[in-house]
Structures are given as C-alpha cells and as structure tokens.
C-alpha cells in the first residue's frame, strides 16, 4: 500500500507517454487530482476537458515532481448564461476578474465571464442557474457551489461541525503549507450558509409554490409535524370528537416540557444588528412578541416549591447569567416521539422561570385542537398550580379552553423519584390510566443530539443562532419521521410480548387472593382513576408503629395502671418502659460514637479530639446512671457484669462504645428476664425497625437528589470535592440507619421465641442486604423500569407513604400490644396488586396506542402526499413566462408527493415483518397489524 501511494507521486503508468492521447500533438504534463484516473494531458486538452469541471484541482509535471497549477493559469474561462460549448458574443468579466468559488475540493480563484448579450439574465440568476450561490446581489465576486453547501449542511447535522472548522478544512485542501493561502472568504461563507438554510426551509414547505410569496408565511408553518401524533383534520377520524370515553384517550396528545442550559448565548451582537430571517416560521417563537411579554411581566415573583427543593423552581431567578444574553432554551416536545412542536422553543434569560415556560406552552398549544392533553414536566407538581390564572396574563390568542379538555399533569419517570411521596403517586405515568408506557423523558433524549452544537451557537448573534437551531430541530424532526416505521414496529413487538407476561403475572397473583378483596380493591382503584380526590389506593394508609407512638402508648398504659393501682414500679422516676427505651437510646449513641471515632483521621486537630473525648465521657456517665436503675429491674445483670469484668484487665477498660448494655434481647432465656420487659423491648424494637427503614428510604432519596444535582450543576475540582464530601456524609447516615435496623431485627429475632411470636413479622421486616437493598433510585432503576422492575422490599413495606393524620392501622386505632402483622401484609398485598394491575393495563394501553399511531402515520403521509400534489398548480394563475420554473414547481411537488407515498408503503411493509429487538423474545414468527 505504501509503495502504491508513493508511486502515485510520479507519472505512474503514463511515464512513457510522449504525446497527449487526446490531441496526439503536445507533451502531456497535466493531470487532475479529482478525476477518476490520473491520466496525463497537454494544457490545451486539459482546459477543454474541464470546461464542465472548473473546480477540479490540477497538477503539472515540471520534470521532477508534480506542482499545483490552476485552470485559470491554463487559460480556462467559465462562461455563464450559455450551455457548455456555446460562445457568448458579449462576455462580461466578473468584477476585477478576480472571482472566488468555494467548493468541496477547496477554495478556487477562477476566471469567470457573465453573459451580456441580448439573452442575458441578471448576474445573480446566471450564477444560480450554474449552481453557484452568490455572496451578494451587487457585483458578486464570490460564490459557493450547491455541492459544498449541501455537504456542509448535512455534515453540520450529523457531526455538528462548525462553519469555521469546515471552512478551514477547505482552505487547507487548497493550500496546506501557508505559502499561498486562498483569499479569506469565511465571513462570506457564514452569510451564504445562513441564507442557504432559510431557502431550503422555504423550499421544503412549499413556500415557493405560494402565489402570495414568502412574506405571507404564518407562524409555525415551516415546522416538520409528527405523523404519529394526533393532527385534527389530517390523521384523525372525522368523528374523533364524538368518540366514547374508553376510546377518546387514543386521540390524546402527549407533550413534554423541559429546559436546556447548555444552549447558552453570549452577549454577542443584538437583534437590531442580527435580527434573523426566520420570524417564528418553525420552532422558535416570534421574538418581538415574546420579549415584549417578558418585559411586561419581568417583576413577577415565582412561588417557592412545596415539593422537594427543585432548583428549576427555587433557583429560577439565580441562574448564573453574567456575560450571557440567554442562559439556555425552553422547549415543548412530542413526549412519545421526541419531536419539537411548532412555536415551542424560546430563550431563557435567567433560569427555568414560569413566565418563560408558560409562554412557550401556550404558544405551542395554539396549533393543537385535541381535547385530551397529557403534559409531562419534571416540576409539573408545582408548575401546574395556578397555571390557568397565569394564563390570563397572556394575549387572548394564547388562551386555552381548558374547561372543554381533559388535561393530565405528569412527571417524567426518571425525575419522579426526586419528588416527595404524594407526587410520586399522583403524578406517576405508571399509575395513571390511558398513558401506555410513555415515560415523558423525550426532551432529555433530544438534548443529546443538539448539545454538541452549543459551542458554535453560543458565539452567534441572536438571529443567526435562532435560525441555526431551528434548522437543526427541523432535521431532528425529519430523521424521527423516517425512523417511525422501524421504531413503532419494534415497540409494538415488545409491547405485545410484555403485555402477555404482565397479564399472566396478574392472573397468577389474583389466584392467591380472595375474590372479595380483589373486588373491593378494584372498586377503589377505579374510583381513584375517575376522580383523583378519592382515596389513593397506591398509598399506604397505615402509619407503622414508630418509637414515638410506642412511647406514647406505653405512657398511656402506665397512666391507666397508676389510676387503677396496678402499677408496680421499682423506681420513683423511671418506670420499666422508660428503662428499656433509654437503653435502646444509649445503644444508638454508642453506634454514633463508633462512627465518630472511625471518622477521625491521623491528622485530627486538638479541637476535634477534645470534642470526641467529651462525647465519650458524657456517654459513660449516662451508662453508669442507667446501669444503677437497670439493676433494680434486672438484678441478674450484676452476675453478667462480674463475669464480664473477670475477662478484662483493669488497666484496659472496655471502650464505652463497646460496653454491653444487657437488654432483655441479649441476656438469653436462662436468666428468666421479666416477660413485661421483654414485651416492652419487642414493641420498641419493632418501632425502631420501622423508624430505621423510614430513615433509609429518605436518605436514599436524598442521595439520589444529591447525585443528580452534582451531575447537573457542579463544575470544577473544588466544587466536585465538596459535593463528594456531602454525598459521603449521606452514605454514612445510610450506613448508620442500616446498622440501627439490623440491631433492631436481631433483637426481635432473639425475643420472638421468648414471647411465642410466630414468623409472620419476618415477612414484613426482612433481612437487609446492604449491597442489593441500599441503592439509590438511579442505580436501582438503571436496567429496570416500573413496567419490568423488581423493587427492593424496603420500598414495599407499610409506611413507605404514611399518612400521619390516620391512626395506627388503616384508620383503626388499636392497642399497642396488638401489632397485627397480618393487616400490614394484606395492605402491602393490596398495593402490589394495584401496581401489578397498573403494569398490565399500561402494556395493554401501549399496544393500543402503537396500533393507533401506526394508523395515524399512514393516514398522515397519504394526506401529505395529496397536499403536495395540490401544490404543483398553485402558481398557474400568475401566467409564468418561464417554462423551466413551471416545470420545476410541478416536478418538486410530485417528487415530494411520491416520497410520502414511498414512506407509507415502506412502513406498512415493515409492519408485516417480525421486527424484534435483540433482547426481545416473542412467540410467533410474524406480526401483522
């Protein structure tokens, strides 16, 4: 290979040629780098052969090596206004005879003549008909070939290469040494590519077919529509508004709202200098009206979040904006197919403020007349509050008749775990009816495609940036259109398989239950689905016994004994229940002290060491005081202490954090400890286990939130170190809570045989696997979703979503001794049945939705094909004098119409084939829809 490459540096197979093979007269010394074969020709023949290839690069053999030479040097003149081979009787040289053409092969200086004879067209038309895009309309002296514009246009979509990088590549193709660099036409290329984007946009949406011209283009008219989404008047049945309630959901529009803070723009240029050409024709809103609305309401305060501390809400006014004209963009997308909606994109001046997102949402909704809306937003629980009152501040054209629509607010599945418990149920896609397996995260996926262009657009003026982003959004939408056939086929095959599995699992689960229970639960969940003000069946309406409630109940029992004279207390101030409760507290303090000592580094300061020593001394005094009272109720402990002391040297006392407290669960059955003390510890330990599980769940949510905040907002080594330290503290707290739970469960295991407790409690308080169970939501759901997930048991126990306003057991206060584990199991079973039913229903809905989407796609392309056919004759009334233009209008319209019919046929063919992903297994060899 290397030898062949080097061989091409010489004349190769033509080394013996002494005469030009074309004319057989002159010595062949010229070859073309861009022709298929490296043939040698004489200069005159080379000029003749390249009259239709004027941008090819030539080399001349100087007797020793090939050197670069141009066609202009050889005498080639490019004649415009005539066909190749025709002679112009009045050629007019370009300004200064110094014309530059930017092409895929480099940047070329050429000799170019315009036609000035009787048949001449304007210089601009002559260039355009030669597929050369002029830089100006007055005495143009620079042009770019259509080929290089199409190449960069597509390359910018796929690689996100900047115009500067692309232009520098062309310049180096022309001269890679810097000795004879081409003339700098980079600013010119920027202007040309900007105009090219707009012209291609207008052409693709038939604005050239419009008799009224480009200026009558309406808002959003040049946006690529989603064929699978409901488009009234296009792909919906004529009677879709009259559909029954069990079918109307199939015509719902799913939208996703989000913001992207990577698409910043610096304070570069201004709207006056760079207003842009696209005036709200595609995805960005019309800038003047948008800025006017923001200016009129800039002083509006944003209410604080009542859910988790959402940065999008609470920090909307504090986003760093120094040196930035825009901190990012807000968008409204199709939530099922990841396509930008018309007039649904706008710049953000600070953070993700309601004032911006409201305008974008209502702007997008102007173009959609559906009656069922499913709105996904990561802060929907907060944003939806007072939305309709905020709508009144917008122009009347933006108002939405929400009373005549069914509108559901939901939170994307990945973002949901960071919310509080009520939001995780009320705004869940998994538990909401008629949404299929939609996850609401479509906008997040789209950012991965557009983010790489941020490095280029942040340096642009406002108009150029909007036009560029509009162009990229349009390309992304078109790519999604072409992928819908295979995408929906694969999704439907998977949905049919999953539907079968989850329906089977539901049937198996119901086979283990009483029909009376299932009937009652079904009534409850259906009532909640119809009216969200009804009791939520997914919530645990049980507040499990906590240490605080147990202590309160024990105090009430003691008060009753004192009133009846049945209280037997050996200490004036400390009853036996308080003794056991205090002992458990001391055990927890020992555990904390152990963590504190372990956290001390070898470089701990004197202040840190002093603080720890003070904690050690205080705890030892507490244990000594408690021990004196313990001996009154448990005198046999003195023998255990004596036996323990005999094993240790007085010179090496037991560390305070390792002192055994000898609670009833640790003394063993041979000591004959009081049953009352054992029962007290049983109740307190059961409550301690519940408290520990609650702490673990809360800490895991916190850790999930901290990781997400760190990944999204933290930049720099110092900030990352601080964030990592905060996460480590959360990890330590999780470990402490896990230790507390394990200690409580170990105590219950020891006490159960002493109190003749059955094994039912172990089904609620299961062994804790720290590796598997103590995972954040992100780690837990990395490979599984609600539709396929196997959640850790700690999220299924009663108390995951407790309602503190209700009594101890589903609204029925009971004696503390009556733990009734069976009730808790039944409640957990009810929730698991509700979730299993929801999973089966979501997959059933997903199958129906995908079938309806496939029908809509076919109908949409059929409509669009007919629409394009109708465009071919729209300008016939103008009596066009140019037959070439008339034919071009008809040809383009028919080509677009044919393309839509071809897409429709291709998709329908795909849907009759077994399109399965590599991870899907399904019965049957074919799938026909």
């Amino acid at each position: 290979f290397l030898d062949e490459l080097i061989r091409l540096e010489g004349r190769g197979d033509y080394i013996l040629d002494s005469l030009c093979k074309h004319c057989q007269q002159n010595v062949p010394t010229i070859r073309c780098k861009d022709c298929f074969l490296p043939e040698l020709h004489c200069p005159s023949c080379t000029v003749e052969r390249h009259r239709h290839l004027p941008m090819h690069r030539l080399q001349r053999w100087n007797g020793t090596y090939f050197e670069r030479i141009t066609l202009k040097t050889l005498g080639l003149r490019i004649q415009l206004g005539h066909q190749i081979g025709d002679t112009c009787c009045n050629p007019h040289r370009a300004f200064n005879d110094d014309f530059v053409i930017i092409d895929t092969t480099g940047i070329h200086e050429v000799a170019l003549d315009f036609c000035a004879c009787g048949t001449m067209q304007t210089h601009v038309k002559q260039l355009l008909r030669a597929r050369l895009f002029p830089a100006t309309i007055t005495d143009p002296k620079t042009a770019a070939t259509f080929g290089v514009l199409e190449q960069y246009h597509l390359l910018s979509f796929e690689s996100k290469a900047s115009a500067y990088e692309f232009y520098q590549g062309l310049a180096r193709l022309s001269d890679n040494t810097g000795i004879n660099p081409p003339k700098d036409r980079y600013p010119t290329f920027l202007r040309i590519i900007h105009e090219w984007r707009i012209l291609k946009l207008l052409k693709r949406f038939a604005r050239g077919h419009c008799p009224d011209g480009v200026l009558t283009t309406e808002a959003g008219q040049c946006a690529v529509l989603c064929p699978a989404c409901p488009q009234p008047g296009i792909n919906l049945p004529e009677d879709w508004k009259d559909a029954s309630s069990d079918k109307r959901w199939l015509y719902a529009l799913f939208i996703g709202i989000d913001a992207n803070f990577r698409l910043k723009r610096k304070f570069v240029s201004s709207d006056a200098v760079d207003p842009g050409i696209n005036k709200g024709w595609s995805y960005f809103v019309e800038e003047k009206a948008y800025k006017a609305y923001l200016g009129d309401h800039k002083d509006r305060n944003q209410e604080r979040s009542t859910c988790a501390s959402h940065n999008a809400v609470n920090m909307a006014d504090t986003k760093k904006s120094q040196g930035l004209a825009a901190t990012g963009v807000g968008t409204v997308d199709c939530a099922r197919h990841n396509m930008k909606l018309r007039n649904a994109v706008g710049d953000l001046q600070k953070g993700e403020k309601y004032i911006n997102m409201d305008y974008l949402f209502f702007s997008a909704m102007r173009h959609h007349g559906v009656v069922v809306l499913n709105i996904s937003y990561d802060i929907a629980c907060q944003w939806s509050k007072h939305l309709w009152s905020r709508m009144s501040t917008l122009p009347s054209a933006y108002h939405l008749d929400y009373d005549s629509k069914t509108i559901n607010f939901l939170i994307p599945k990945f973002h949901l775990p960071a919310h509080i418990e009520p939001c995780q149920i009320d705004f869940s896609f998994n538990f909401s009816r008629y949404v299929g397996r939609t996850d609401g995260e479509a906008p997040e996926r789209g950012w991965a495609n557009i983010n790489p262009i941020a490095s280029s657009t942040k340096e642009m003026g406002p108009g150029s940036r909007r036009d560029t982003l509009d162009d990229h959004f349009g390309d992304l939408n078109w790519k999604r259109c072409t992928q819908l056939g295979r995408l929906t086929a694969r999704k439907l095959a998977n949905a049919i398989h999953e539907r079968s599995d989850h329906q089977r699992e539901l049937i198996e689960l119901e086979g283990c239950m009483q029909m009376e229970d299932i009937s009652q639960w079904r009534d409850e969940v259906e009532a909640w689905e119809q009216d969200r003000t009804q009791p939520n069946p997914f919530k645990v309406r049980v507040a499990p016994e906590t240490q605080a409630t147990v202590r309160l109940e024990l105090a009430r029992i003691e008060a009753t004994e004192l009133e009846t004279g049945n209280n037997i207390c050996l200490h004036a101030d400390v009853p036996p229940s308080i003794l056991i409760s205090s002992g458990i507290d001391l055990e927890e303090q020992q555990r904390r002290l152990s963590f504190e000592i372990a956290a001390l580094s070898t470089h701990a300061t004197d202040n840190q060491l002093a603080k720890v020593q003070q904690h050690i001394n205080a705890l030892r005094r507490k244990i000594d005081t408690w021990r004196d009272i313990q001996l009154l109720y448990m005198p046999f402990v003195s023998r255990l202490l004596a036996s323990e002391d005999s094993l240790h040297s007085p010179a090496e006392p037991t560390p305070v954090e390792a002192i055994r407290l000898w609670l009833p669960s640790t003394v063993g059955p041979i000591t004959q400890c009081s049953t009352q003390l054992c029962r007290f510890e049983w109740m307190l330990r059961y409550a301690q286990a519940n408290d520990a599980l609650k702490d673990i769940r809360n800490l895991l949510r916190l850790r999930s939130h901290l990781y997400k905040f760190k990944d999204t907002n933290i930049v720099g080594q110092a900030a990352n170190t601080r964030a990592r330290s905060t996460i480590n503290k959360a990890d330590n707290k999780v470990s402490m809570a896990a230790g507390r739970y394990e200690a409580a469960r170990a105590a219950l295991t020891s006490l159960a045989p002493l109190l003749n407790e059955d094994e039912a409690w172990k089904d609620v308080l299961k062994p804790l696997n720290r590796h598997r169970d103590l995972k954040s939501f992100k780690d837990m759901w990395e490979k599984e979703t609600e539709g396929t997930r196997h959640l850790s048991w700690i999220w299924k126990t009663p108390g995951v979503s407790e309602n503190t306003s209700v009594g101890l057991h589903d609204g029925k206060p009971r004696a503390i001794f009556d733990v009734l584990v069976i009730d808790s199991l039944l409640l957990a079973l009810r929730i698991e049945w509700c979730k299993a039913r929801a999973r089966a229903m979501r997959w059933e809905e997903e199958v129906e939705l995908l079938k309806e989407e496939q029908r809509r796609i076919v109908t949409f392309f059929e409509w669009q094909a007919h629409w394009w056919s109708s465009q071919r004759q729209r300008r016939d009334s103008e009596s066009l004098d140019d037959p070439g233009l008339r034919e071009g209008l008809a040809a383009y319209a028919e080509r677009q119409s044919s393309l839509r019919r071809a897409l429709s046929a291709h998709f329908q063919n795909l849907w009759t084939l077994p399109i399965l992903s590599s991870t899907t297994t399904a019965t049957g060899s074919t799938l026909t829809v």
Side-chain angles (χ1 to χ4, degrees):
F1 282 88
L2 182 58
D3 286 347
E4 291 301 317
L5 288 176
I6 296 174
R7 186 173 185 271
L8 288 172
E9 290 295 318
R11 288 173 290 175
D13 293 337
Y14 307 95
I15 192 170
L16 299 178
D17 291 354
S18 58
L19 293 176
C20 173
K21 289 186 177 181
H22 189 259
C23 66
Q24 296 294 323
Q25 294 178 0
N26 303 316
V27 178
T29 58
I30 309 296
R31 77 176 181 186
C32 178
K33 288 187 67 175
D34 301 312
C35 288
F36 178 63
L37 294 175
E39 293 180 311
L40 289 174
H41 298 281
C42 66
S44 59
C45 290
T46 300
V47 170
E48 288 301 320
R49 290 172 61 86
H50 284 80
R51 289 195 182 278
H52 65 293
L53 301 170
M55 268 67 74
H56 276 202
R57 296 167 295 169
L58 304 182
Q59 295 176 318
R60 179 173 60 187
W61 182 254
N62 63 10
T64 306
Y65 60 89
F66 280 106
E67 60 185 2
R68 184 168 177 262
I69 191 172
T70 66
L71 281 164
K72 182 179 180 180
T73 304
L74 293 179
L76 175 65
R77 300 199 66 83
I78 301 173
Q79 178 63 59
L80 301 182
H82 295 272
Q83 295 184 5
I84 295 176
D86 292 350
T87 302
C88 179
C89 62
N90 188 19
H92 177 73
R93 293 190 175 188
F95 183 79
N96 250 5
D97 198 21
D98 183 21
F99 203 87
V100 175
I101 295 180
I102 305 170
D103 185 45
T104 56
T105 57
I107 302 167
H108 307 275
E109 294 184 27
V110 300
L112 183 139
D113 294 335
F114 292 102
C115 173
C117 61
T119 61
M120 73 173 184
Q121 296 287 343
T122 64
H123 290 184
V124 169
K125 281 191 176 182
Q126 291 183 49
L127 287 167
L128 290 172
R129 292 182 183 183
R131 297 181 179 239
L132 297 172
F133 198 103
T136 63
I137 59 174
T138 305
D139 288 331
K141 55 187 301 183
T142 303
T145 63
F146 284 13
V148 74
L149 294 177
E150 288 173 349
Q151 185 183 65
Y152 172 68
H153 201 193
L154 191 59
L155 184 67
S156 68
F157 292 145
E158 292 301 319
S159 72
K160 304 302 183 288
S162 69
Y164 178 81
E165 294 166 336
F166 183 78
Y167 183 85
Q168 290 303 313
L170 295 178
R172 293 184 63 183
L173 275 176
S174 303
D175 180 78
N176 199 25
T177 64
I179 298 173
N180 296 302
K183 293 183 177 180
D184 185 13
R185 293 293 191 266
Y186 171 62
T188 302
F189 182 72
L190 284 179
R191 183 168 62 252
I192 291 175
I193 196 64
H194 187 183
E195 295 170 0
W196 178 262
R197 291 183 191 276
I198 298 298
L199 287 168
K200 295 290 279 189
L201 174 76
L202 295 169
K203 177 184 176 184
R204 287 166 178 166
F205 290 92
R207 300 314 301 154
H209 291 70
C210 178
D212 299 328
V214 171
L215 294 181
T216 60
T217 304
E218 298 176 358
Q221 197 169 359
C222 295
V224 178
L225 303 183
C226 176
C229 283
Q231 309 285 352
I234 297 178
N235 62 2
L236 292 183
E238 293 183 0
D239 60 346
W240 69 275
K241 288 187 177 180
D242 301 324
S244 59
S245 58
D246 61 335
K247 289 294 183 182
R248 189 178 302 167
W249 65 275
L250 289 170
Y251 310 131
L253 176 66
F254 292 79
I255 65 170
I257 305 174
D258 198 21
N260 184 331
F261 293 105
R262 296 204 178 195
L263 295 177
K264 303 176 176 67
R265 187 180 76 81
K266 295 181 179 179
F267 270 120
V268 178
S269 189
S270 65
D271 284 306
V273 177
D274 181 16
I277 306 174
N278 185 338
K279 306 295 184 183
W281 296 340
S282 300
Y283 309 98
F284 267 87
V285 294
E286 200 283 315
E287 189 70 8
K288 288 185 178 179
Y290 180 48
K291 290 287 182 64
Y293 174 76
L294 297 179
D296 293 341
H297 300 84
K298 61 183 178 181
D299 296 327
R300 182 194 298 172
N301 292 324
Q302 182 152 313
E303 55 265 31
R304 304 283 291 179
S305 171
T306 57
C307 181
S309 182
H310 297 299
N311 293 327
V313 180
N314 295 340
M315 299 179 67
D317 292 311
T318 59
K319 196 75 179 178
K320 292 182 179 179
S321 59
Q322 185 176 1
L324 298 176
T327 58
V329 297
T331 67
V332 183
D333 293 27
C334 157
R336 282 186 62 82
H337 315 106
N338 190 16
M339 296 176 69
K340 294 287 180 289
L341 301 187
R342 291 179 279 180
N343 296 135
V345 182
D347 286 336
L348 303 177
Q349 291 69 42
K350 276 283 189 179
E352 199 170 342
K353 299 178 70 173
Y354 289 169
I355 185 175
N356 298 87
M357 308 311 290
D358 291 349
Y359 189 97
L360 300 178
F361 167 71
F362 288 111
S363 173
M365 290 303 99
R366 287 187 302 159
H367 302 288
H368 295 276
V370 296
V371 296
V372 180
L373 267 178
N374 295 316
I375 304 170
S376 170
Y377 192 11
D378 52 13
I379 54 170
C381 58
Q382 305 302 305
W383 175 74
S384 59
K385 297 177 181 177
H386 315 300
L387 176 62
W388 309 123
S389 62
R390 298 198 304 271
M391 181 183 70
S392 63
T393 65
L394 280 97
S396 58
Y398 290 76
H399 288 190
L400 189 67
D401 184 13
Y402 57 91
D403 288 330
S404 64
K405 300 181 185 296
T406 301
I407 301 177
N408 303 310
F409 295 98
L410 301 161
I411 296 173
K413 291 182 179 179
F414 179 79
H415 291 78
L416 191 63
H419 288 251
I420 60 175
E421 292 293 345
C423 295
Q424 292 188 31
I425 297 176
D426 294 339
F427 295 89
S428 171
F429 272 97
N430 293 315
F431 303 149
S432 296
R433 200 170 184 184
Y434 299 141
V435 297
R437 288 288 301 154
T438 312
D439 59 17
E441 297 288 357
E444 299 288 350
R445 299 187 185 96
W447 298 141
N449 179 276
I450 199 68
N451 280 342
I453 201 176
S455 59
S456 297
T457 56
K458 71 180 180 181
E459 304 285 352
M460 293 182 180
S464 298
R465 172 175 169 273
R466 287 192 297 270
D467 292 348
T468 301
L469 289 176
D470 259 342
D471 199 28
H472 279 264
F473 290 145
D475 177 70
L476 179 61
N477 277 15
W478 174 248
K479 284 174 64 177
R480 296 294 293 179
C481 284
T482 62
Q483 296 165 356
L484 282 174
R486 190 168 295 275
L487 179 69
T488 55
R490 186 182 297 112
K491 280 188 172 183
L492 183 56
N494 181 60
I496 291 174
H497 171 67
E498 292 289 346
R499 177 186 64 177
S500 176
D501 284 354
H502 287 282
Q503 287 179 346
R504 182 177 64 252
E505 289 182 6
L506 179 61
I507 292 172
E508 292 173 354
L509 180 62
E510 290 180 344
C512 306
M513 301 177 180
Q514 298 293 329
M515 291 305 298
E516 295 82 1
D517 292 333
I518 296 174
S519 178
Q520 177 186 348
W521 297 341
R522 182 176 288 109
D523 291 342
E524 290 180 8
V525 73
E526 288 178 352
W528 178 77
E529 288 172 344
Q530 295 294 328
D531 181 6
R532 290 298 179 93
T533 62
Q534 297 294 319
N536 192 325
F538 294 96
K539 287 183 178 178
V540 179
R541 297 190 293 273
V542 175
E545 292 82 356
T546 64
Q547 288 174 287
T549 56
V550 169
R551 287 167 181 161
L552 175 61
E553 186 66 21
L554 289 174
R556 288 172 177 170
I557 293 172
E558 184 184 1
T560 302
E561 291 177 347
L562 289 172
E563 292 173 358
T564 59
N566 296 325
N567 182 259
I568 301 176
C569 185
L570 302 179
H571 192 278
D573 299 319
V574 182
S577 61
I578 298 300
L579 172 75
I580 302 301
S581 176
S582 300
I584 294 175
D585 287 343
L586 289 173
E587 182 183 79
E588 175 61 18
Q589 292 180 46
Q590 286 180 307
R591 192 176 296 109
R592 291 177 184 171
L593 183 60
S594 297
F595 271 92
E596 193 174 352
I597 295 172
L600 284 177
S601 67
T602 56
H603 303 291
T605 64
D606 290 343
N607 286 335
Q608 292 173 325
L609 294 172
K611 185 177 180 180
V612 172
Q613 187 61 52
Q614 290 170 0
H615 291 171
I616 292 173
N617 297 341
L619 182 57
R620 188 177 294 277
R621 285 192 293 269
K622 290 179 181 179
I623 292 176
D624 290 344
T625 302
W626 178 81
R627 184 76 78 192
D628 293 338
I629 302 172
Q630 181 191 31
L631 293 175
L632 294 175
Y633 293 98
M634 303 170 66
F636 55 84
V637 170
S638 60
R639 297 197 306 273
L640 297 175
L641 294 174
S643 176
E644 192 176 52
D645 290 342
S646 65
L647 300 176
H648 294 87
S649 169
E652 297 180 1
T654 304
V656 66
E657 67 275 12
I659 294 176
R660 300 188 68 179
L661 299 180
W662 297 113
L663 289 166
S665 59
T666 59
V667 296
I670 60 174
T671 58
Q672 296 181 347
C673 181
S674 166
T675 302
Q676 184 188 42
L677 293 178
C678 291
R679 176 60 65 182
F680 285 161
E681 186 178 3
W682 171 271
M683 291 185 290
L684 288 165
R685 290 292 191 179
Y686 200 96
Q688 184 188 27
N690 281 323
D691 279 347
L693 286 176
K694 178 181 177 182
D695 290 343
I696 289 172
R697 290 189 292 263
N698 289 337
L699 288 166
L700 289 177
R701 292 188 193 102
L702 172 64
R703 190 170 67 180
S704 176
H705 174 73
L706 290 174
Y707 272 115
K708 181 172 177 57
F709 181 83
K710 173 180 175 291
D711 293 342
T712 305
N713 299 284
I714 301 300
V715 178
Q717 182 176 357
N720 269 284
T721 301
R722 289 193 295 269
R724 183 68 255 181
S725 176
T726 303
I727 293 173
N728 288 340
K729 291 179 181 177
D731 288 337
N732 290 337
K733 290 183 179 181
V734 170
S735 182
M736 289 178 62
R740 190 161 65 251
Y741 172 80
E742 291 167 343
R745 192 178 187 282
L748 290 171
T749 303
S750 299
L751 292 169
L754 301 179
L755 298 174
N756 296 320
E757 292 286 343
D758 59 27
E759 299 292 311
W761 68 274
K762 292 184 178 180
D763 294 328
V764 178
L765 302 177
K766 300 179 181 179
L768 189 67
N769 184 313
R770 294 200 179 200
H771 176 71
R772 184 178 64 248
D773 297 327
L774 301 185
K775 288 186 176 181
S776 66
F777 286 104
K778 181 178 180 181
D779 294 335
M780 192 181 305
W781 292 344
E782 191 174 39
K783 297 181 180 178
E784 293 183 334
T785 61
E786 174 61 31
T788 58
R789 58 104 179 118
H790 299 283
L791 205 58
S792 168
W793 67 269
I794 68 172
W795 302 99
K796 301 177 184 177
T797 58
V800 174
S801 179
E802 61 264 38
N803 183 350
T804 55
S805 64
V806 183
L808 289 180
H809 289 281
D810 207 19
K812 302 174 184 178
R814 303 178 185 180
I816 194 66
F817 292 99
D818 187 12
V819 178
L820 291 176
V821 175
I822 296 177
D823 272 11
S824 297
L825 288 172
L826 188 62
L827 291 168
L829 197 59
R830 180 203 75 200
I831 293 173
E832 191 54 41
W833 176 85
C834 289
K835 291 183 176 181
R837 172 185 176 274
R839 287 193 290 272
M841 291 182 67
R842 295 302 83 77
W843 282 112
E844 174 67 30
E845 293 163 2
E846 181 70 5
V847 171
E848 295 300 315
L849 267 176
L850 287 167
K851 290 180 179 179
E852 169 61 18
E853 286 174 352
Q854 290 184 340
R855 184 201 65 77
R856 287 201 293 252
I857 291 170
V858 172
T859 305
F860 180 90
F861 282 136
E862 290 174 353
W863 169 86
Q864 204 169 45
H866 177 74
W867 182 86
W868 268 111
S869 293
S870 69
Q871 301 299 307
R872 59 175 296 169
Q873 298 176 341
R874 288 190 67 191
R875 289 181 64 180
D876 283 359
S877 60
E878 298 182 37
S879 301
L880 296 174
D881 296 331
D882 185 352
L885 175 58
R886 187 182 300 111
E887 183 180 77
L889 289 168
Y892 186 72
E894 287 302 327
R895 182 163 70 87
Q896 293 298 321
S897 177
S898 176
L899 172 62
R900 268 61 181 187
R901 292 190 179 94
L903 280 172
S904 177
H906 174 60
F907 287 178
Q908 292 181 76
N909 182 56
L910 283 175
W911 297 337
T912 61
L913 299 175
I915 306 296
L916 297 177
S917 65
S918 59
T919 58
T920 303
T921 57
T923 58
S925 58
T926 61
L927 172 66
T928 303
V929 180

